[in-house]
């Protein structure tokens, strides 16, 4: 492995990374511009487009809705996903194989079809309120990430530790919370973060589950871009990027970033 | 053994623990999607009437083929550039490698709307690319780059290259280094090792990556909506229009069914192919 990749390959890789980074740099530049139109490099530095985000009530409202949905949806997914991931590993022999596949279905079927199906069966079919339907949609959307990441953590957990605790007289439920869960803490944190970001950025499921007064931030961004071509959307994008960076720093501090590449 | 009494290995506990998630997936995903698909076969005009009228419409068949074409081109471009980049990343020294992985993860964690919007600023009529070309005197009037198939494909490749790079770095690192050393010590040139040893070993991983990218770009909504507009209508944007603008539930359901069937067929077929090529692949 001492031989370095061919210079042409290195050049291609460098160009690919330039291609990946440049658009994001441009968005940041456009967000800081003092002009009323989108431009790069920024002409005059200003934070006024950031102030404009909060001046527009639709953005204020949808940021709150998006955070509420992402947070609650992720918690719900953890609530049903952790026991499922535990069962898949602890009762690997007893449970059928298709059960594991079932939990990844939400990322296997097209998201947009899932969103449309929820609209048809929940909101229109049975009159479930939009907020509840949105929450259900996001919970299921992030469930595969929760089950897979926590399953991966549990796969390296030695269940004989749990059996030792139980045979020494610890109650099974107590054992789960004092022995099993602390051992897969890193997996739970990673699952939370991955699920939260996935939910926050989702477009296809939310697309159909919005209505009067209820919308999510990405849907609001889409609507805004189609009407106005000012730097406000660039500022919101930068805000979201900052959030992502913050989350990545947290991951780096707790788990190391290579964890996400798995 | 008190454990036996509480925690019997009979699977009942396992079923009970996975029940909430199982019921949620069945009740809120399988049943609603099943109902959408079943609904298309209960049309008063006849069992296959919605499909007959879908494929009789020149516009709608064009949309289907356009979507397949965009997805195929996106997959091929992402495979080529993703593989070359992943190869370089997998060979990079420790610190640089982590940095390159972080640089690929970051765009992936940035939302699709933000990433499509970035290309809107670049490719627009008064966008950065046109401004640059005009100021350099390369063109005399702004080029129409937005709302073309090229714009949609660029946006999609931008969306999926990081995914391809990350999944292929994993694949390349799992290839035993001895194999490559054996190849070069037996006299193969680096290029021969690359083409004749590394590439064939990476094929199962390439297939998995290709499936991810193909199904992802086949069903993407935000990117074709922003960069393609109505001129480059794809299945996802057509589904949204049918459902939310025209309130044509049967039409929307038919598109949903076609998308689901194509996606699932490709996933199953390619997973099968990947297994046959390399039984060790999961």
């Amino acid at each position: 492995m001492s031989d370095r990749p061919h210079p042409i390959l290195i050049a291609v890789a460098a160009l690919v990374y330039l291609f990946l980074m440049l658009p994001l740099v441009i968005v940041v530049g456009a967000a800081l511009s003092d002009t009323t139109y989108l431009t790069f490099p920024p002409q005059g530095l200003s934070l006024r487009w950031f102030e404009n985000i909060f001046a527009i009530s639709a953005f204020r409202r949808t940021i709150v809705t998006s955070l509420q949905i992402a947070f609650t949806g992720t918690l719900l997914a953890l609530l049903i996903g952790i026991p499922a991931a535990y069962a898949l590993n602890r009762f690997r022999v007893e449970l059928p194989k298709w059960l594991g596949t079932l939990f990844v279905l939400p990322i296997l079927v097209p998201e947009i079809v899932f969103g449309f199906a929820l609209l048809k069966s929940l909101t229109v079919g049975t009159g479930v309120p939009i907020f509840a339907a949105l929450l259900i949609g996001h919970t299921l959307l992030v469930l595969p990430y929760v089950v897979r990441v926590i399953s991966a953590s549990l796969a390296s957990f030695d269940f004989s530790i749990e059996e030792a605790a139980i045979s020494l007289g610890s109650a099974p439920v107590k054992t789960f919370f004092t022995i099993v869960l602390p051992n897969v803490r890193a997996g739970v944190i990673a699952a939370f973060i991955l699920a939260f970001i996935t939910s926050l950025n989702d477009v296809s499921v939310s697309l159909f589950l919005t209505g009067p007064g209820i919308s999510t931030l990405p849907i609001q961004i889409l609507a805004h871009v189609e009407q106005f071509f000012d730097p406000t959307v660039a500022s919101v994008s930068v805000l979201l990027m900052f959030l992502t960076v913050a989350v990545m720093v947290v991951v780096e501090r707790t788990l190391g970033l290579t964890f996400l590449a798995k | 053994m008190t454990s036996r009494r509480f925690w019997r290995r009979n699977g009942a506990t396992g079923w009970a623990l996975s029940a909430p998630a199982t019921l949620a997936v069945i009740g809120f995903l399988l049943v609603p999607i099943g109902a959408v698909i079943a609904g298309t076969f209960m049309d008063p005009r006849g069992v296959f009437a919605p499909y007959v009228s879908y494929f009789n419409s020149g516009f709608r068949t064009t949309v289907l083929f356009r979507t397949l074409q965009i997805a195929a081109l996106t997959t091929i471009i992402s495979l080529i550039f993703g593989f070359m980049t992943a190869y370089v990343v997998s060979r990079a020294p420790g610190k640089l490698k982590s940095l390159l992985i972080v640089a690929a993860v970051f765009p992936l964690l940035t939302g699709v709307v933000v990433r499509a919007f970035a290309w809107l600023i670049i490719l627009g009529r008064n966008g950065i690319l046109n401004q640059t070309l005009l100021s350099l005197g390369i063109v005399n009037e702004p080029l129409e780059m937005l709302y073309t198939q090229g714009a949609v494909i660029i946006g999609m490749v931008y969306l999926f290259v990081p995914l391809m790079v990350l999944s292929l770095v994993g694949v390349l690192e799992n290839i035993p280094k001895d194999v490559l050393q054996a190849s070069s010590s037996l006299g193969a040139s680096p290029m021969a090792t690359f083409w004749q040893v590394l590439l064939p070993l990476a094929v199962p991983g390439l297939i998995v990556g290709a499936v991810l990218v193909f199904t992802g770009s086949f069903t993407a909504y935000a990117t074709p909506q922003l960069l393609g507009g109505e001129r480059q209508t794809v299945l996802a944007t057509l589904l949204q229009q049918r459902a939310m603008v025209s309130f044509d539930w049967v039409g929307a359901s038919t598109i949903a069914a076609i998308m689901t069937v194509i996606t699932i067929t490709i996933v199953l077929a390619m997973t099968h192919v990947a297994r046959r090529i390399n039984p060790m692949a999961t």
Side-chain angles (χ1 to χ4, degrees), chain A residues 64-81 131-132 134-140 142-143 146 192 195-196 199-200:
Chain A
V64 173
T65 310
S66 273
L67 291 174
Q68 281 174 337
I69 292 283
F71 190 75
T72 323
T74 302
L75 282 187
L76 287 175
L78 285 171
L79 204 65
I80 62 174
F131 191 86
L134 198 57
L135 190 58
I136 291 171
H138 279 243
T139 303
L140 280 162
V142 302
L143 184 66
V146 167
F192 184 94
F196 189 84
S199 165
L200 200 62

Side-chain angles (χ1 to χ4, degrees), chain A residues 1 3-6 9-10 12-13 16-17 19-21 23-24 26-27 30 38-40 80 83-84 86-87 90-91 94-96 98-99 102-103 105-106 108-110 112-114 116-122 124 136 140 143 162-163 166-167 172 194 197 201 203-204 207-208 218 221-222 225-226 229 233-234 237 240-241 244-245 248 257-258 260-261, chain B residues 2-3 6-11 13-15 17-18 20-22 24-25 28-30 32-33 36 81 84-85 87-89 91 100-107 109-114 117-122 128 131 154 157-158 161-162 165-166 177 180-181 190-191 194 219 221-222 225-226 236 239-240 243-244 249 252-253 256 259-260 263-264 267:
Chain A
M1 297 300 284
D3 45 355
R4 289 159 53 95
H6 198 277
L9 285 177
I10 294 180
V12 169
V16 167
Y17 272 97
F19 170 76
L20 288 183
M21 290 300 135
L24 298 178
I26 288 171
V27 171
L38 282 159
T39 186
F40 185 88
I80 62 174
Y86 172 82
R90 179 70 172 74
F91 303 96
E94 292 84 353
L95 293 177
W98 56 261
L99 200 61
L102 186 77
F103 299 133
L105 271 185
L108 214 63
V109 299
I112 193 154
V113 171
F114 176 43
F116 172 65
L118 280 180
L119 166 77
K120 220 180 154 199
S121 61
L122 289 186
V124 176
I136 291 171
L140 280 162
L143 184 66
E162 185 198 26
E163 285 190 15
I166 292 175
S167 63
L194 213 56
I197 290 185
N201 286 328
V203 173
S204 298
L207 190 63
F208 297 101
I221 295 177
L222 272 179
V225 170
E226 279 169 9
F229 205 60
V233 169
S237 305
L240 280 170
M241 277 192 245
T244 310
V245 172
M248 284 178 82
L257 268 170
T258 39
L260 288 174
Chain B
T2 45
S3 66
F6 288 111
W7 221 228
R8 261 179 293 182
R9 270 190 155 270
N10 62 6
T13 322
W15 279 110
L17 288 171
S18 47
T22 309
V25 175
F28 294 125
L29 186 110
L30 284 184
I33 292 179
V36 165
F81 288 101
M84 291 198 276
T85 310
Y87 177 71
V88 174
V89 173
R91 291 292 193 91
L100 290 173
I101 287 175
V102 171
V105 170
F106 182 70
L109 294 180
T110 310
V112 287
V113 175
V114 173
F117 170 71
W119 285 98
L120 205 62
I121 311 179
I122 298 171
I128 292 143
Q131 283 175 17
I154 289 178
V157 169
Y158 186 64
V161 154
V165 171
L166 290 174
K177 299 196 164 36
L180 304 178
Q181 271 163 356
M191 268 313 187
F194 180 84
T219 60
Y221 171 80
Q225 171 71 14
L226 283 181
L239 169 57
Q240 192 270 347
M244 306 300 268
W249 293 95
S253 302
M259 287 176 87
T260 311
T263 307
I264 304 261
V267 170

Side-chain angles (χ1 to χ4, degrees), chain B residues 51-109:
Chain B
Y51 296 92
V52 172
S53 78
Y54 183 95
F55 287 102
N56 275 338
S57 154
F59 172 69
R60 279 177 276 183
T61 39
T62 308
V63 169
L64 173 62
F65 287 117
R66 179 188 295 134
T67 314
L68 286 168
Q69 192 181 348
I70 290 175
L73 288 171
T74 303
T75 308
I76 293 167
I77 299 170
S78 305
L79 263 180
I80 296 170
F81 288 101
F83 185 69
M84 291 198 276
T85 310
Y87 177 71
V88 174
V89 173
S90 71
R91 291 292 193 91
K95 266 250 170 76
L96 180 65
K97 188 195 280 178
S98 333
L99 188 73
L100 290 173
I101 287 175
V102 171
V105 170
F106 182 70
L108 211 58
L109 294 180

Side-chain angles (χ1 to χ4, degrees), chain A residues 206-249:
Chain A
S206 316
L207 190 63
F208 297 101
L209 304 173
T210 53
I214 297 179
S215 186
T216 65
L217 184 58
I219 303 297
Q220 169 61 26
I221 295 177
L222 272 179
H224 190 90
V225 170
E226 279 169 9
Q227 286 172 37
F228 314 95
F229 205 60
D230 64 24
T232 313
V233 169
S235 316
V236 183
S237 305
V238 172
L239 214 62
L240 280 170
M241 277 192 245
F242 265 127
L243 201 71
T244 310
V245 172
V247 164
M248 284 178 82
V249 169

Side-chain angles (χ1 to χ4, degrees), chain B residues 164-241:
Chain B
M164 195 68 109
V165 171
L166 290 174
S167 63
L168 291 181
V169 166
V171 169
L172 289 173
E173 294 201 321
N174 282 334
I175 293 175
K177 299 196 164 36
D178 314 353
V179 179
L180 304 178
Q181 271 163 356
S183 162
S184 52
S185 68
L186 288 171
S189 70
M191 268 313 187
T193 308
F194 180 84
W195 287 109
Q196 292 169 25
V197 181
L198 192 68
L199 193 63
L201 283 172
V203 164
L206 289 170
I207 292 176
V208 173
V211 170
L212 278 178
V213 174
F214 189 89
T215 54
S217 47
F218 182 67
T219 60
Y221 171 80
T223 307
Q225 171 71 14
L226 283 181
L227 303 178
E230 283 188 12
R231 263 195 265 164
Q232 299 295 329
T233 302
V234 293
L235 285 179
T237 50
L238 186 63
L239 169 57
Q240 192 270 347
Q241 279 168 25

Side-chain angles (χ1 to χ4, degrees), chain B residues 129-141:
Chain B
L129 199 54
N130 266 327
Q131 283 175 17
T132 314
L133 292 174
L134 284 171
S135 65
L136 292 174
I138 297 172
V139 294
N140 292 321
E141 50 187 88

Side-chain angles (χ1 to χ4, degrees), chain A residues 154-173:
Chain A
L154 280 168
S156 54
F157 174 71
D158 183 359
F159 279 98
S160 60
I161 303 173
E162 185 198 26
E163 285 190 15
I166 292 175
S167 63
L168 288 170
S170 168
V173 175

